[in-house]
Amino acid sequence: MYGFEALTFNIHGGYLEAIVRGHRASLLTAADYNNLCQCETLDDIKMHLSATEYGPYLQNEPSPLHTTTIVEKCTLKLVDEYKQMLCQATEPLSTFLEYITYGHMIDNVVLIVTGTLHERDVQELLEKCHPLGMFDSIATLAVAQNMRELYRLVLVDTPLAPYFSECITSEDLDDMNIEIMRNTLYKAYLEDFYRFCQKLGGATAEIMSDLLAFEADRRAVNITINSIGTELTRDDRKKLYSNFGLLYPYGHEELAVSEDIDQVRGVMEKYPPYQSIFSKLSYGESQMLDKAFYEEEVKRLCLAFEQQFHYGVFFAYMRLREQEIRNLMWISECVAQNQKSRVHDSVVFIF
Amino acid sequence: MSSSAMVGSAGTWARALVKISPYTFAAIGIAISIGVSVLGAAWGIYITGSSLIGAAIKAPRITSKNLISVIFCEAVAIYGVIVAIILQTKLESVPSSQIYDPESLRAGYAIFASGIIVGFANLVCGLCVGIIGSSCALSDAQNSSLFVKILVIEIFGSALGLFGVIVGIIMSAQASWPSKTV
């Protein structure tokens, strides 16, 4: 019953909630980012990061450092924390934590299938996969020729199997179909996750509904903007939108017929939470849209920590860490390519 | 006799209720006072304890100060024990001819009510202090200046148990069984 989670949540979830809040305290602050932005070389970045919790992960790296190494080690820290929480979780928290990684699984599947299409080596692709989304038999994806085989050979044994019912066709895999497959899978995943959170009820349902609705709406806008000018028909575009969120159903109908960014902006400005995002951009500009969305997402994720005794803190922590790794990657790339003036284009401060 | 005259016009349920021995009510009251108090204390301790242990991994300095929350919860159980001991000294034997006298019934009900008051007041007090203690541990781990302020809230919460004990003891003080006359 909503409002009385405090009575029984701590039986199974109290310890892990306290641990995840401890992890949250070690996220990098604005002061850390300012120090990092003033670094001249990647070794300086390594030195600054060794004073934070990333120290043990980076200290053994040899001196000619690459940005990919930094990102890989930071991701490894996130994976270690996640696995430690997952092995101590009981139902339904363990299912909830597994749901958080299905997005990465979808990304990995698409990465390998696209890479195979472009004749890349499977081992090289496996190294680029996100570690949170790995599953056994992922390498077999390289063998599949069309979607039906993809499903039958590999995906039927993974947690992604139920998401495939909408996109099994006998068509061969090409770039367009793969993108459509990615978005269809992600739509099914978001809806499934939403239903699972609703079933959990209470504070978890309320907080996660808000976070997932924002995610669904953001994906709808991105799909719309990316498919302007491509061959994707309006009906196909509409099929890729999730069936929940602020924009459902009237916003989706308007987005499906939008043909340029100003029309999209016109649709979004009817919704007050998104109007504040779009008001930061001037007309005709879409480069800063990503950053504006990330900032809004970070603001909502930080708010999830204001309430105790719900599972939303786990989701919020994972997303904030991923944002931090994106920040570190951007800073490292700017430093490595000597373009420090552009550093603040894409760094989103968390605190 | 006197009891049947008293309930002459009442229904069958009222008659059944007053035929239950007052000793039953008194004993149940004592059981509730200690049992439900301990339930409240245990509930509060595990709510605080699980958060405290998890938070102390990243911030070990919070352990010694936050044991106060656990002590406040434990105090609730001690109130229950004290009142149970006081109540059981109030249980006296009366001759079987006087068991269903109005005075006997009154004494039995007084002890029963005292037990319920103390038990349930301590139950909610233990819960209250436990939940606040959990939030206190988590906040202290992030920002140590918050500890004393949240402790003030806990002190107000633990006063609830004291209210229950005071009223319970006053109730039981006037539980006097009929004196042994022929």
Side-chain angles (χ1 to χ4, degrees):
Chain A
M1 191 164 56
Y2 191 13
F4 290 88
E5 292 91 15
L7 299 180
T8 50
F9 182 86
N10 274 12
I11 302 176
H12 293 296
Y15 174 69
L16 283 176
E17 179 184 5
I19 287 199
V20 91
R21 282 177 187 265
H23 286 319
R24 169 206 183 260
S26 69
L27 286 169
L28 299 179
T29 62
D32 291 319
Y33 284 125
N34 281 332
N35 282 341
L36 286 171
C37 289
Q38 287 167 5
C39 288
E40 297 289 336
T41 68
L42 290 179
D43 285 326
D44 282 344
I45 290 187
K46 176 179 160 185
M47 187 184 73
H48 275 116
L49 284 180
S50 58
T52 67
E53 298 241 335
Y54 288 113
Y57 288 86
L58 284 175
Q59 68 190 14
N60 290 329
E61 293 303 308
S63 206
L65 211 53
H66 296 284
T67 56
T68 48
T69 320
I70 294 182
V71 171
E72 197 185 302
K73 294 300 169 196
C74 295
T75 313
L76 191 60
K77 175 176 187 290
L78 172 61
V79 172
D80 282 346
E81 287 172 358
Y82 172 80
K83 289 202 171 129
Q84 186 201 31
M85 287 195 288
L86 182 63
C87 72
Q88 298 195 58
T90 60
E91 289 293 334
L93 179 56
S94 52
T95 310
F96 186 88
L97 287 174
E98 284 171 6
Y99 263 101
I100 299 179
T101 61
Y102 293 165
H104 290 297
M105 249 185 233
I106 294 174
D107 286 338
N108 285 352
V109 166
V110 170
L111 180 78
I112 291 190
V113 170
T114 319
T116 312
L117 198 63
H118 294 273
E119 323 246 325
R120 299 252 157 74
D121 179 39
V122 170
Q123 287 301 50
E124 189 191 315
L125 292 171
L126 282 179
E127 281 171 21
K128 288 201 195 154
C129 285
H130 197 283
L132 278 180
M134 296 298 273
F135 51 92
D136 300 334
S137 74
I138 190 172
T140 328
L141 284 170
V143 177
Q145 302 288 345
N146 60 29
M147 297 212 198
R148 209 176 278 279
E149 270 187 32
L150 201 63
Y151 178 72
R152 202 172 48 85
L153 288 178
V154 182
L155 293 167
V156 68
D157 291 324
T158 65
L160 298 178
Y163 306 150
F164 255 80
S165 56
E166 288 183 31
C167 63
I168 296 188
T169 60
S170 296
E171 287 175 23
D172 277 338
L173 300 166
D174 63 29
D175 278 322
M176 174 81 142
N177 286 342
I178 292 178
E179 274 308 301
I180 294 182
M181 176 178 85
R182 179 211 294 268
N183 285 313
T184 319
L185 282 178
Y186 210 90
K187 167 193 170 184
Y189 154 62
L190 274 183
E191 288 170 7
D192 192 26
F193 198 3
Y194 185 78
R195 256 175 288 146
F196 176 71
C197 292
Q198 295 295 101
K199 208 165 52 133
L200 289 176
T204 302
E206 173 165 329
I207 292 172
M208 285 306 296
S209 311
D210 181 51
L211 293 174
L212 289 176
F214 179 76
E215 177 79 16
D217 292 338
R218 181 170 79 160
R219 284 193 81 85
V221 171
N222 282 336
I223 288 173
T224 312
I225 293 182
N226 289 339
S227 62
I228 290 175
T230 65
E231 309 160 343
L232 197 63
T233 65
R234 291 177 178 180
D235 287 333
D236 280 342
R237 195 198 280 180
K238 193 142 173 258
K239 272 196 287 195
L240 295 176
Y241 298 151
S242 304
N243 61 2
F244 63 95
L246 262 190
L247 291 175
Y248 170 79
Y250 307 112
H252 287 168
E253 292 186 16
E254 295 188 24
L255 275 181
V257 299
S258 304
E259 293 300 333
D260 65 47
I261 299 210
D262 290 327
Q263 283 184 0
V264 171
R265 173 197 288 268
V267 172
M268 298 303 280
E269 284 187 342
K270 294 186 190 144
Y271 296 88
Y274 303 131
Q275 193 233 353
S276 56
I277 299 178
F278 276 80
S279 65
K280 287 189 218 160
L281 312 169
S282 47
Y283 267 96
E285 180 189 307
S286 72
Q287 294 93 326
M288 302 306 281
L289 185 62
D290 273 346
K291 183 174 183 199
F293 270 128
Y294 280 135
E295 279 173 353
E296 178 72 18
E297 185 190 10
V298 162
K299 199 170 68 160
R300 289 178 188 223
L301 291 172
C302 287
L303 284 177
F305 285 94
E306 299 293 311
Q307 200 170 338
Q308 217 180 324
F309 309 121
H310 62 90
Y311 292 147
V313 289
F314 296 97
F315 178 80
Y317 170 69
M318 302 287 291
R319 285 294 166 100
L320 284 173
R321 267 287 178 215
E322 287 166 17
Q323 177 63 42
E324 182 177 283
I325 293 174
R326 274 196 290 270
N327 287 346
L328 285 175
M329 183 182 76
W330 181 259
I331 293 176
S332 310
E333 289 285 348
C334 285
V335 164
Q337 294 172 15
N338 260 323
Q339 291 196 4
K340 286 179 40 181
S341 54
R342 294 192 56 199
V343 149
H344 288 282
D345 280 353
S346 191
V347 172
V348 178
F349 293 152
I350 297 180
F351 306 123
Chain B
M1 293 150 51
S2 61
S3 60
S4 52
M6 176 178 77
V7 298
S9 61
T12 47
W13 279 112
R15 207 175 299 172
L17 213 54
V18 298
K19 284 300 183 189
I20 299 177
S21 160
Y23 295 139
T24 312
F25 279 111
I28 291 179
I30 296 172
I32 288 180
S33 99
I34 178 65
V36 178
S37 300
V38 166
L39 175 66
W43 205 328
I45 289 179
Y46 90 67
I47 292 179
T48 299
S50 51
S51 292
L52 180 54
I53 292 174
I57 291 181
K58 278 291 168 77
R61 59 183 164 79
I62 67 170
T63 40
S64 30
K65 278 201 293 188
N66 278 279
L67 284 178
I68 284 187
S69 307
V70 179
I71 291 174
F72 275 131
C73 289
E74 180 70 20
V76 152
I78 294 178
Y79 299 155
V81 172
I82 292 175
V83 171
I85 292 178
I86 292 177
L87 290 181
Q88 61 88 25
T89 59
K90 298 274 178 203
L91 259 185
E92 296 170 7
S93 291
V94 292
S96 49
S97 59
Q98 288 182 300
I99 290 185
Y100 293 102
D101 279 0
E103 280 302 308
S104 288
L105 295 177
R106 175 178 180 257
Y109 297 154
I111 297 177
F112 178 62
S114 176
I116 290 190
I117 290 168
V118 170
F120 286 96
N122 285 338
L123 171 65
V124 293
C125 173
L127 272 175
C128 170
V129 174
I131 295 173
I132 300 175
S134 156
S135 305
C136 185
L138 295 176
S139 317
D140 191 15
Q142 304 263 347
N143 179 358
S144 48
S145 66
L146 289 173
F147 175 71
V148 175
K149 304 186 169 98
I150 300 183
L151 198 63
V152 172
I153 305 177
E154 263 188 74
I155 292 174
F156 278 110
S158 72
L160 301 173
L162 268 175
F163 298 158
V165 169
I166 292 172
V167 173
I169 292 186
I170 293 176
M171 267 306 284
S172 70
Q174 40 97 16
S176 49
W177 301 85
S179 43
K180 294 182 175 49
T181 59
V182 175

